[in-house]
Amino acid sequence: MTVRGHQQFDENFYLEIGDERFLVQMDGGRIDEVVPNPGLNDEWSFGVEGSREAWEQFVEETPPAFNHEIIASHYRSAVRNEDDHLMLTGNNKRIFQNLRAFQRTLDLMRPTEGGS
Amino acid sequence: MSVTDNEAVEEITGRYVHITVGGVDHRVYFEENGPEDGIPLLCQHTAGCNNQEWRHLLTDDEITNEFRVIAYDLPFHGKSVPPTSQPWWTEDYTLDAKQFAETIVAIADALELEDPIYMGSSMGGNITLELADWHPERFRALIGLECGAHSPGFYIDWLDHPEVNTSEVNAYSCWGLMAPQSPEQTRRETMYLYEQGATGVFKGDLYYYSVDHDYRDRLDDVKADQCPLYIVNGEYDYLTTPDDGRETAEGVGDGAVAMEMARIGHFPMSENPELFNAYLREILDDITGKREGKLPDVIEPDDVGVELTPTAPTEQKTESD
């Protein structure tokens, strides 16, 4: 599926899943590379952090309420101070400038019907 | 009722009515359907949106056979342009509780509605507390969808910023407020409606929603014993959760009822109209005295005979993704 504007998504971001961290390098709306354990030589604009349990809920085919989308999860963490939801970090302006494509990238982490 | 099963020419009519708020004349657009002598059901849209959110209720003949459904655009929203007598462009649009409640009552008065039921979602749900506090005599009942005593954290600068595509962001910041079980078609339509808002209006509405509205210490002032108050929140609403709704109803006391709507989110009337309209019929039957027994604490799709469609995340993914 080609979506207007998504080819402009060039901001790298990281995913922190429990104790593990992965850098997702974007290039023209496509994932160029996923780098485990990114370090000082790498560059990113923002990230998503959460426990493994929170991520497991997030990627369910039909996720439970409040872990079903990143802004939903972040709100329960950042505003309501609840545990076990994902949380956004980093440059908020970059997040909102790329919100639509970023949300879709995270949605694509979910399994397809009959797939993985 | 199916949301795609409409007559070639829909029965909805649209007109304009002039109201005075704070001494200023406003030209307000409204649409309606239903018998002239039906029970008026006055519908308020969510922050930054417009009355098109209610289009599937306006064409639901199971409801419009009995109720005169009226959905309006607040000033600055949809077809209700800013006031022609004011240099409104010299200051930011900002909505507060007093102005919001006064506008709703002015619309009910201008349309000469007798004992109307008021219903609104999100900011339209929160304002039911002010309406039951300040104007309990004006309404037959109040339905606060996605209503809470306090809903902080959504007065966000990025929703009105020159370096952000705000028409897009205003929509996509609402994506997660909807349930994944709601049909993708109607979730996308809800966001499409959000993309139509004027710059700064969504954020200006959220001043009321997340800053000015705070009834945590004032629930005793809400006179639900004089005007029944239904606090009805969707399972997937992360801003005002069903538990927030229950706490608010408990705080208000006599006359306030809380009900959780399962498998639906913050925009029930537009994200899943078929399911919401079925849920709503239960509430309307309670208001009109047709329902036997109390409303359930949690209402499920099975309770109202609605079968959910496959989840949207699956539909979103294709081979070429």
Side-chain angles (χ1 to χ4, degrees):
Chain A
M1 187 170 81
T2 301
V3 180
R4 171 187 53 80
H6 284 203
Q7 71 274 20
Q8 309 293 337
F9 184 27
D10 275 324
E11 299 290 340
N12 296 344
F13 63 94
Y14 73 82
L15 309 175
E16 191 168 280
I17 304 170
D19 296 332
E20 297 180 273
R21 185 179 277 206
F22 302 92
L23 176 65
V24 180
Q25 294 185 319
M26 300 300 300
D27 180 21
R30 294 191 172 274
I31 295 173
D32 185 46
E33 196 173 351
V34 177
V35 180
N37 305 311
L40 287 175
N41 288 330
D42 296 305
E43 186 182 352
W44 55 84
S45 299
F46 49 86
V48 188
E49 299 180 356
S51 67
R52 179 160 287 279
E53 293 73 24
W55 278 108
E56 283 171 355
Q57 288 191 352
F58 183 85
V59 299
E60 284 179 28
E61 188 169 353
T62 304
F66 315 152
N67 270 348
H68 61 291
E69 189 267 350
I70 183 56
I71 302 292
S73 198
H74 178 80
Y75 180 87
R76 299 308 302 179
S77 296
V79 179
R80 300 299 180 110
N81 296 312
E82 293 178 1
D83 294 330
D84 272 338
H85 299 287
L86 305 182
M87 191 156 175
L88 289 162
T89 66
N91 188 320
N92 288 320
K93 184 162 77 177
R94 293 277 184 269
I95 291 170
F96 280 91
Q97 284 176 327
N98 293 281
L99 184 62
R100 180 167 68 137
F102 172 52
Q103 280 176 330
R104 179 164 170 76
T105 309
L106 295 178
D107 279 350
L108 292 174
M109 293 172 69
R110 299 201 173 102
T112 53
E113 191 174 21
S116 62
Chain B
M1 185 212 68
S2 161
V3 299
T4 56
D5 183 21
N6 291 312
E7 299 293 326
V9 177
E10 297 181 8
E11 293 297 317
I12 301 171
T13 56
R15 286 185 288 168
Y16 292 88
V17 61
H18 283 261
I19 63 168
T20 302
V21 179
V24 175
D25 176 78
H26 290 273
R27 179 174 179 254
V28 167
Y29 179 69
F30 68 101
E31 293 179 346
E32 66 174 297
N33 192 13
E36 199 173 328
D37 60 351
I39 299 169
L41 176 57
L42 191 60
C43 300
Q44 166 68 53
H45 56 76
T46 60
C49 206
N50 61 64
N51 75 350
Q52 293 181 90
E53 284 181 327
W54 297 102
R55 77 177 185 91
H56 299 291
L57 183 65
L58 284 158
T59 52
D60 185 336
D61 55 17
E62 285 187 35
I63 288 175
T64 57
N65 281 344
E66 180 177 1
F67 295 88
R68 179 186 171 195
V69 181
I70 303 164
Y72 54 87
D73 292 338
L74 273 189
F76 291 86
H77 300 69
K79 291 184 178 177
S80 296
V81 293
T84 53
S85 64
Q86 304 295 307
W88 50 270
W89 54 91
T90 59
E91 58 187 47
D92 289 341
Y93 167 82
T94 305
L95 184 70
D96 64 26
K98 182 173 175 295
Q99 176 190 346
F100 191 12
E102 188 183 346
T103 303
I104 294 165
V105 172
I107 291 170
D109 289 347
L111 295 176
E112 299 179 351
L113 303 182
E114 191 177 334
D115 290 334
I117 300 167
Y118 166 89
M119 173 166 63
S121 182
S122 186
M123 73 168 187
N126 283 358
I127 197 71
T128 56
L129 300 182
E130 282 91 344
L131 292 174
D133 181 357
W134 300 336
H135 304 284
E137 74 294 339
R138 186 64 187 87
F139 300 95
R140 174 176 180 143
L142 300 163
I143 304 173
L145 306 170
E146 318 314 324
C147 169
H150 187 45
S151 43
F154 235 62
Y155 187 54
I156 299 169
D157 286 343
W158 305 115
L159 303 181
D160 183 23
H161 191 283
E163 295 177 26
V164 172
N165 180 349
T166 53
S167 65
E168 183 173 282
V169 161
N170 289 352
Y172 280 80
S173 60
C174 296
W175 177 243
L177 280 162
M178 294 181 274
Q181 295 91 343
S182 294
E184 182 165 5
Q185 185 76 29
T186 41
R187 284 193 290 164
R188 295 282 179 186
E189 180 177 301
T190 301
M191 293 204 296
Y192 172 82
L193 298 179
Y194 260 87
E195 289 180 314
Q196 298 175 20
T199 307
V201 170
F202 187 30
K203 188 186 172 199
D205 283 344
L206 292 172
Y207 174 79
Y208 162 73
Y209 181 74
S210 271
V211 180
D212 199 35
H213 174 81
D214 187 353
Y215 263 71
R216 286 173 295 179
D217 298 324
R218 297 159 57 193
L219 290 173
D220 284 347
D221 298 334
V222 178
K223 302 171 190 71
D225 54 339
Q226 297 175 35
C227 179
L229 172 62
Y230 295 81
I231 298 177
V232 185
N233 292 11
E235 178 187 0
Y236 276 80
D237 179 7
Y238 64 82
L239 290 174
T240 42
T241 68
D243 280 345
D244 294 334
R246 290 183 190 100
E247 276 181 33
T248 304
E250 276 175 28
V252 170
D254 288 348
V257 174
M259 185 171 79
E260 172 176 348
M261 295 182 288
R263 319 286 183 267
I264 206 165
H266 190 82
F267 303 93
M269 62 289 188
S270 62
E271 71 172 78
N272 195 341
E274 184 181 6
L275 181 60
F276 171 70
N277 290 2
Y279 286 158
L280 176 63
R281 281 196 287 274
E282 303 297 319
I283 299 164
L284 294 175
D285 281 351
D286 198 66
I287 292 171
T288 56
K290 286 183 188 164
R291 184 186 169 82
E292 292 179 8
K294 286 169 54 180
L295 289 167
D297 178 54
V298 181
I299 192 164
E300 303 270 356
D302 282 350
D303 297 336
V304 290
V306 172
E307 192 175 338
L308 295 176
T309 54
T311 57
T314 303
E315 294 178 325
Q316 281 176 7
K317 301 195 65 170
T318 65
E319 286 293 316
S320 59
D321 282 343

